Amino acid sequence: MTGVAILGAGAFGTALSITLGALGPVTLWARDHDQAARLRTDRRNDRHLPGAELPETVTITAEIADIDADTVLLAVPTQLLDAFLSAHGAAIDGRRLVLCCKGVHLASGLRPSALVARFCPSSPLAVLTGPSFAADIARGLPTALTLATTDDGADLQARLSTPTLRLYLSNDVIGAELGGALKNVVALAAGITIGAGLADSARAAVVTRGFAEMTRFAVAAGARAETLAGLSGLGDLILTCTSEKSRNFTAGLALGRGMGLPDGITIEGVATARAVSVGAQAAGVEMPLTDMVAAVVDGRITVDDAAAALMARPLKKET
């Protein structure tokens, strides 16, 4: 059994299949037969990634039984991962699994790697994360990501790197996962700030204090602070807090403008804010910005009241 398969034909899964397909055969799994049939016929995924074409090296299937690869990239949204693994975990257990989803599972409060370990205990795990938009990867634009592994990942790093996709190796899976998850919460906060007309100075404060919260929470969970200062933390934070190509930032813009959350789009930062706010309180980790984002998305507080509450917090040293 050799080769690479990607499970999940959303924007990121499709983009990875395009860039990795330039190197050799790749199998792309779609969640249902209709989607797989459309992708096979059109060689495009205009719903998730308009304009990008799938190379002929990409084989598309809706059957897990067709996945004959020793390396499997999981590009299933975090909030759907539990159900996916419950249905298909046994079929992929023992393969090398690379998590490409970001967030914290709301129902369980677990990171994706912890969910995978429940259903696929024999699989070596890795996390692929960092500052990237699927459209940029699909177009072959230069992108650098973190590949965090639970074993010696040099061979995996070589296998998944391409001329336009540069991977930096790490052994801090917790830090890589939490960096990718928590930055979505801060991106929501940054979008809310701009959408509410609070301007760039306030956004800079939100991003900086948000990064402090990210680091504090991740270190308490067993991560290394330097991981958060890398691509999977700070790098991803910069990207998602400054671009309207970020779904979390644009969702925050809508909230700040009083428009509510957009329908039909996965906004991982929403569920992550809720899960992390609860988890941080249980662990005794102070995360005022995350708490306010959770309260705003749940409608428990207005944007104006959230901003006022944050500004009224007791004066303290910068940490």
Side-chain angles (χ1 to χ4, degrees), residues 113-124:
S113 64
L115 280 175
V116 172
R118 283 184 170 183
F119 293 95
C120 303
S122 300
S123 289

Side-chain angles (χ1 to χ4, degrees), residues 193-211:
T193 300
I194 296 300
L198 303 180
D200 290 331
S201 296
R203 171 167 55 179
V206 163
V207 173
T208 305
R209 298 309 304 162
F211 180 65

